[in-house]
Structures are given as structure tokens and as C-alpha cells.
Amino acid sequence: MTALSEDPLVLDDACVLGDGSCGLELLQLRAASKLVAQDCPERQLVGKWADEDALGFKTITVKLDVQAPADSASCDFVNADLIMPPYLGPPMRYQVTMTPTEDGKYKVKYYNALANLPPYSHEGEFDPKTQLLTEDLGHPMPGGTETVLKFFKSSE
């Protein structure tokens, strides 16, 4: 049997024709992933994300590290750290929540409760089909041309 470590929702060619046990494992993983997505859609975001050439700046990478909630914790939100080059500012801690939309995507809210008064939030979107996660900052950074961070899963 092949070990399946990739995302079972987007895995198509993981099994060899005739390997029934691999096909069964893939089916079980897909079913489990869909249940997790319904009970705690935020778990789909767990992992490392990156936006290369972020906000219209060439060579600037902004990262988002989304932590899994503790197994015993409720899934009201997941913690995420926004990490940018130090000259743009320190890392920021967000509480991330997701709400399903009618088109199969999710509305994402990034809440920064630790910000100097007042706490603030940004909105974005997650498309499970394309695995694109966005955050709209609402205004461009000085010298920048875009307001939306566009994150894709990162291997780092």
C-alpha cells in the first residue's frame, strides 16, 4: 500500500491500478477530511502558507503559519502568525475563523486581539478547490500597489 501524505481532497493519481487497499485508504481519507471540514473548516488552513512578491513588491515574501487547535479544544478559531520581513514590522498573531458561502468557498476573518488599541480584523476568502487563501489589508503599504495578500500552501 502507498502511504498517502498529500491532501486527500486533491489527490487523484496516488494509487496504482489494481491496488484495492490503496483505493480504500484514499476513500477513507477523503471522507474523514470532508467531515473535519464540516465540523471545523478552519482545520483546512493548518500549515504554512506564503505570498511571494507580496502586495506588489518584488522579492518580498509574506508568510502565514496556521496552527492546529488542540485536540481537546473547541474549534471556534485557529491561531495564525503573519510573518513578514522585519523591516516591514514584527509578526502578528491572528485568530482565524471561517464561514461557508453559497459558492463553496469560505469567508475568512483575521482578528488581531493583541494589537495596540483597538484590536482589528481583516477579511479574506478561502477557496478549497484552488487552495487560494486571501487577506485584504484594506490599504496598500507605502510603496506597494496591492492590498490583498494571496497565500498558497508552502513546503517550508
Side-chain angles (χ1 to χ4, degrees):
M1 177 175 5
T2 305
L4 299 176
S5 60
E6 296 181 45
D7 183 350
L9 295 176
V10 295
L11 207 54
D12 288 327
D13 299 324
C15 299
V16 177
L17 186 60
D19 184 356
S21 62
C22 182
L24 177 60
E25 182 182 1
L26 181 59
L27 182 61
Q28 290 169 334
L29 284 170
R30 283 185 175 155
S33 293
K34 287 181 182 178
L35 286 175
V36 166
Q38 291 171 354
D39 292 343
C40 181
E42 291 82 1
R43 287 187 190 273
Q44 298 175 81
L45 302 181
V46 171
K48 297 186 182 301
W49 298 77
D51 180 0
E52 297 180 9
D53 296 333
L55 302 172
F57 293 104
K58 297 293 181 197
T59 71
I60 291 181
T61 298
V62 176
K63 298 177 182 180
L64 187 71
D65 183 8
V66 181
Q67 294 91 39
D71 289 337
S72 61
S74 68
C75 191
D76 297 331
F77 62 87
V78 290
N79 286 316
D81 293 319
L82 184 73
I83 303 162
M84 57 193 117
Y87 54 86
L88 291 179
M92 289 181 260
R93 169 62 57 103
Y94 288 130
Q95 294 174 343
V96 180
T97 58
M98 292 177 26
T99 306
T101 60
E102 291 182 12
D103 61 358
K105 298 177 183 178
Y106 291 90
K107 178 181 173 183
V108 179
K109 183 176 178 181
Y110 302 85
Y111 179 68
N112 186 340
L114 302 175
N116 292 332
L117 294 175
Y120 67 89
S121 65
H122 294 145
E123 292 190 355
E125 181 178 78
F126 175 63
D127 185 340
K129 290 181 182 173
T130 63
Q131 293 292 295
L132 173 64
L133 175 62
T134 65
E135 178 185 0
D136 189 345
L137 301 177
H139 58 83
M141 296 184 78
T145 58
E146 298 182 30
T147 64
V148 178
L149 291 168
K150 298 172 186 151
F151 296 105
F152 289 94
K153 281 274 178 132
S154 170
S155 59
E156 292 181 28

